[in-house]
Amino acid sequence: MRRYSAMPEQGALTIVRRSSSRSKAESCPTPTDEQLDSLDLDTEHLPAVDTPDACDKAALRLRYLLRQLNRGEISAETLQKNLQYAAKVLEAVYIDETKPAVARQQSAPTLVFRRLADEDDELSEVQPDAVPPEVREWLASTFTRQLATAKRKSDEKPKFRSVAHAIRAGIFVDRIYRRVTSTALMQFPQDVIRVLKTLDEWSFDVFALHEASGGAPVKYLGYELLNRYGMIHKFKVPPTTLENFLNRIEEGYCKFHNPYHNNLHAADVAQTVHYMLCQTGLMNWLSDLEIFATLVAAVVHDYEHTGTTNNFHVMSGSDTALLYNDRAVLENHHISAAFRLMRDEECNLLQNLSREEFREFRTLVIDMVLATDMSFHFQQLKNMRSLLSLAEPTVDKSKAASLILHCCDISHPAKRWDLHHRWTMSLLDEFFLQGDKERDLGLPFSPLCDRNNTLVAESQIGFIEFIVEPSMGVCADMLECILGPLHSSSKNSTSSAEPINEESTGTKDRNENSSKFKIRKPWVACLSDNKKIWKEQAAKDAEARAKQEEENNSVPPTTEE
Ligand code: AMP
Ligand code: ZN
């Protein structure tokens, strides 16, 4: 089982939720003018730099310094001393963050409380009895990882596209232009055309598409999407090149005959991304190149998946783990192999992109697919939440698209029960096959991989409650935040403008915040229905286990000994 140094050990998930142990008002409030006016800039009597108090003091001083600089009322010496103090405070927090987890947990609670990016936060909310230990262990080993300390360049300010584009959102799909002559386009079988009529629905039946397409859902869905969004025309993708590319991608997904990580999953994720792009209006916030990259990232995000987890690659010392130094092993492979495929001229969708477009596209796809590594999950959610809590959040396009792809990747529990159930059984089949391999190799079972000892219903409840629901929640908040201004500008500028998608999710929202832009959230009801069914199943399973145990206990001991 994967053990990152920052990962809580089993049973350690009840750590008090550190960053929530302060009230909202208390944590880093923006200082008032009165507070700033009464500030004493003395640097002799400040709290030690590695205490929570120091952070507040440093923040307050920085605010004050900024104000005084604006007014031109500050001496160089005072400025220097206070900046030095603030820098030390920040360094202390950083150093604390880089300590191993065990050391952090043993250090003073004040230090732990001040960790900058506490990825265990979400998981630490899991109460000891809320989920069985196996499920906790699986959640911890799959969805957390050591903090990545690399700092990215600051995010570009998002640009809102024109009002005309905003209006276009609601009426997008059927009116999107198709400038490529119909003769050059790939021919679609009638059955495929019939299934694709429901392409814009949340609970689109990708299994039906698989059947209708003779086992080639990626080929038809990928083609249809890139055509609908005008990508073939815009980026001058030769239709046969696209067809070759999609055929080869589809083959790669079928290489290991995986029950779950196969071409159906790729098509499912791509369709869900399409829903997010077109039904929420997100496509109007993104550039053509960003849409192109997002769709391609969805299609290739698990290309040549081996049907085993990153943990298995690391523990078995696979060639791929060796190649990628145990980091995001599969994700690195999916991206690298997909770009390698595009080196073949017959499959090179990007042949007519300019050098700059190619670089931007490649960076976007790399960022998005790497962010599907589940061990990055809590960090990703936490980063987005903190960003959205700012007074004027500026969401980076790549971060937004990455979160969308991540959510779509784990969205099947938020789809209709029949679809979700089928996906879950396929994934468990795949996990159990991995468990068989682990047993043969003498490796310990990874969580959920022991076919004789896995609590299916409980693990699904855990997955929904602690992973999928929070993800969809943050995703919806992010969409409402970035699309709200776009929506209001379209409403203000033209009286005939259709709202992009205005649907309140409850009376509370409607009453309290009637003007706030809301997206439709069909996943909310599905998640709740599915959870209910799993809970009923879990109760039945527990009953059956108790009965079995009772029977075992009542069997008289054999006389063999
Ligand atoms: P990916 O491997 O990129 O498809 O990411 C999806 C990951 O989410 C899977 O590998 C699992 O770790 C997790 N996941 C998806 N569905 C389930 C499920 N029903 N139960 C448990 N884990 C799941
Ligand atoms: Zn996936």
Side-chain angles (χ1 to χ4, degrees):
M1 187 180 62
R2 177 174 14 192
R3 285 280 179 216
Y4 288 108
S5 61
M7 198 185 73
E9 294 298 315
Q10 188 186 341
L13 301 178
T14 46
I15 313 158
V16 182
R17 183 171 158 75
R18 289 165 289 253
S19 56
S20 65
S21 43
R22 275 184 163 203
S23 72
K24 249 199 175 140
E26 245 184 313
S27 58
C28 293
T30 309
T32 59
D33 272 351
E34 293 83 68
Q35 272 175 302
L36 291 181
D37 285 339
S38 61
L39 194 75
D40 174 9
L41 277 189
D42 157 50
T43 46
E44 304 290 32
H45 305 101
L46 283 165
V49 291
D50 56 358
T51 59
D53 238 17
C55 274
D56 291 342
K57 285 268 186 310
L60 198 62
R61 271 152 198 261
L62 286 175
R63 288 265 170 223
Y64 181 83
L65 294 177
L66 277 172
R67 194 179 71 161
Q68 296 306 95
L69 273 173
N70 273 342
R71 293 177 175 177
E73 289 174 9
I74 189 145
S75 81
E77 195 196 346
T78 314
L79 180 63
Q80 195 184 22
K81 278 187 177 163
N82 278 277
L83 284 178
Q84 233 160 30
Y85 177 72
K88 279 186 184 158
V89 172
L90 287 174
E91 280 158 10
V93 180
Y94 174 77
I95 289 160
D96 178 48
E97 186 57 39
T98 56
K99 281 186 203 165
V102 178
R104 278 204 308 261
Q105 287 184 14
Q106 285 166 350
S107 54
T110 49
L111 280 184
V112 177
F113 166 75
R114 271 290 163 186
R115 285 174 58 194
L116 268 183
D118 188 355
E119 70 170 5
D120 306 335
D121 248 13
E122 298 276 344
L123 209 47
S124 65
E125 283 188 337
V126 180
Q127 292 304 306
D129 302 328
V131 287
E134 299 91 313
V135 177
R136 285 209 308 271
E137 189 181 347
W138 159 65
L139 288 170
S141 66
T142 311
F143 301 99
T144 64
R145 53 164 243 159
Q146 198 165 18
L147 178 79
T149 46
K151 182 139 178 30
R152 296 281 176 96
K153 70 175 169 41
S154 66
D155 298 333
E156 202 191 315
K157 214 174 164 48
K159 299 174 195 81
F160 293 119
R161 304 183 82 205
S162 70
V163 172
H165 280 165
I167 300 164
R168 207 178 60 179
I171 52 172
F172 155 63
V173 175
D174 289 324
R175 295 198 192 166
I176 199 91
Y177 58 88
R178 294 174 185 236
R179 299 222 190 127
V180 181
T181 60
S182 56
T183 47
L185 285 175
M186 191 171 79
Q187 294 301 303
F188 282 44
Q190 275 309 313
D191 279 355
V192 170
I193 294 173
R194 182 182 46 78
V195 177
L196 288 178
K197 287 205 169 113
T198 56
L199 188 62
D200 310 335
E201 292 174 11
W202 174 248
S203 279
F204 171 74
D205 188 349
V206 77
F207 299 103
L209 176 63
H210 184 251
E211 202 138 286
S213 62
V218 167
K219 174 177 162 182
Y220 291 106
L221 191 129
Y223 202 100
E224 177 68 7
L225 289 181
L226 290 171
N227 189 34
R228 279 199 194 190
Y229 285 87
M231 299 295 122
I232 299 179
H233 168 72
K234 170 81 194 172
F235 296 105
K236 299 190 174 52
V237 184
T240 43
T241 307
L242 176 58
E243 195 176 337
N244 294 338
F245 170 80
L246 291 169
N247 277 331
R248 295 279 296 278
I249 290 288
E250 190 120 41
E251 272 170 32
Y253 273 105
C254 300
K255 191 169 169 184
F256 296 97
H257 307 284
N258 307 327
Y260 179 88
H261 285 102
N262 51 35
N263 52 338
L264 267 143
H265 170 65
D268 180 46
V269 174
Q271 187 275 333
T272 313
V273 164
H274 158 64
Y275 177 95
M276 292 297 194
L277 286 172
C278 88
Q279 299 289 42
T280 67
L282 180 65
M283 57 168 288
N284 303 293
W285 185 69
L286 296 172
S287 68
D288 287 330
L289 193 72
E290 286 156 355
I291 294 175
F292 189 25
T294 305
L295 292 170
V296 173
V299 166
V300 306
H301 87 279
D302 275 330
Y303 177 55
E304 291 187 341
H305 198 292
T306 52
T308 47
T309 59
N310 279 341
N311 179 52
F312 181 83
H313 277 274
V314 173
M315 295 300 277
S316 62
S318 74
D319 282 350
T320 325
L322 195 67
L323 182 63
Y324 296 113
N325 303 314
D326 298 348
R327 307 272 164 86
V329 176
L330 283 161
E331 292 72 21
N332 271 306
H333 175 78
H334 306 318
I335 304 164
S336 172
F339 275 100
R340 193 174 295 279
L341 174 60
M342 285 189 268
R343 272 199 186 169
D344 179 348
E345 212 42 32
E346 286 183 353
C347 296
N348 187 6
L349 315 185
L350 311 177
Q351 57 188 260
N352 289 317
L353 263 61
S354 68
R355 192 185 298 270
E356 294 71 34
E357 284 171 335
F358 174 78
R359 293 251 50 96
E360 190 185 339
F361 178 97
R362 181 166 158 78
T363 306
L364 283 166
V365 172
I366 293 173
D367 284 353
M368 279 184 249
V369 179
L370 283 181
T372 63
D373 176 355
M374 293 296 148
S375 64
F376 187 51
H377 167 84
F378 284 116
Q379 189 63 57
Q380 199 180 1
L381 250 58
K382 188 181 170 68
N383 290 348
M384 185 53 72
R385 270 204 200 101
S386 356
L387 185 63
L388 296 177
S389 69
L390 299 177
E392 284 184 30
T394 302
V395 183
D396 173 56
K397 303 282 185 79
S398 160
K399 297 270 180 345
S402 297
L403 182 63
I404 294 286
L405 180 57
H406 170 53
C407 290
C408 294
D409 198 17
I410 53 170
S411 65
H412 69 84
K415 303 278 178 76
R416 235 174 36 213
W417 168 257
D418 59 318
L419 303 172
H420 164 52
H421 185 252
R422 199 162 163 181
W423 286 123
T424 301
M425 291 304 125
S426 306
L427 183 64
L428 287 168
D429 274 352
E430 194 169 303
F431 282 168
F432 295 158
L433 287 172
Q434 174 172 321
D436 297 344
K437 288 193 181 113
E438 288 170 332
R439 195 192 44 223
D440 294 347
L441 290 169
L443 293 170
F445 284 118
S446 292
L448 306 197
C449 290
D450 179 355
R451 61 175 73 243
N452 300 314
N453 252 320
T454 288
L455 299 170
V456 174
E458 277 89 344
S459 70
Q460 293 313 296
I461 298 164
F463 186 55
I464 292 177
E465 282 185 348
F466 300 113
I467 309 294
V468 186
E469 273 177 347
S471 304
M472 298 309 285
V474 175
C475 186
D477 290 348
M478 176 192 79
L479 286 168
E480 285 168 356
C481 167
I482 58 187
L483 300 175
L486 198 129
H487 172 64
S488 44
S489 72
S490 78
K491 248 169 82 173
N492 294 342
S493 316
T494 161
S495 55
S496 62
E498 288 273 325
I500 294 174
N501 212 334
E502 192 173 22
E503 197 168 281
S504 208
T505 46
T507 37
K508 186 167 172 272
D509 284 341
R510 201 170 293 136
N511 294 340
E512 281 180 10
N513 213 352
S514 56
S515 63
K516 193 171 174 261
F517 171 67
K518 294 275 174 200
I519 57 163
R520 194 179 296 150
K521 300 174 185 102
W523 50 83
V524 173
C526 293
L527 283 167
S528 146
D529 291 350
N530 294 341
K531 205 158 62 168
K532 192 164 159 255
I533 301 175
W534 284 123
K535 283 192 172 164
E536 285 160 9
Q537 181 72 45
K540 275 191 208 147
D541 290 352
E543 222 172 87
R545 277 197 304 273
K547 206 167 158 209
Q548 184 67 50
E549 211 162 292
E550 212 172 277
E551 273 171 26
N552 291 347
N553 291 340
S554 64
V555 175
T558 54
T559 47
E560 264 173 42
E561 302 133 51

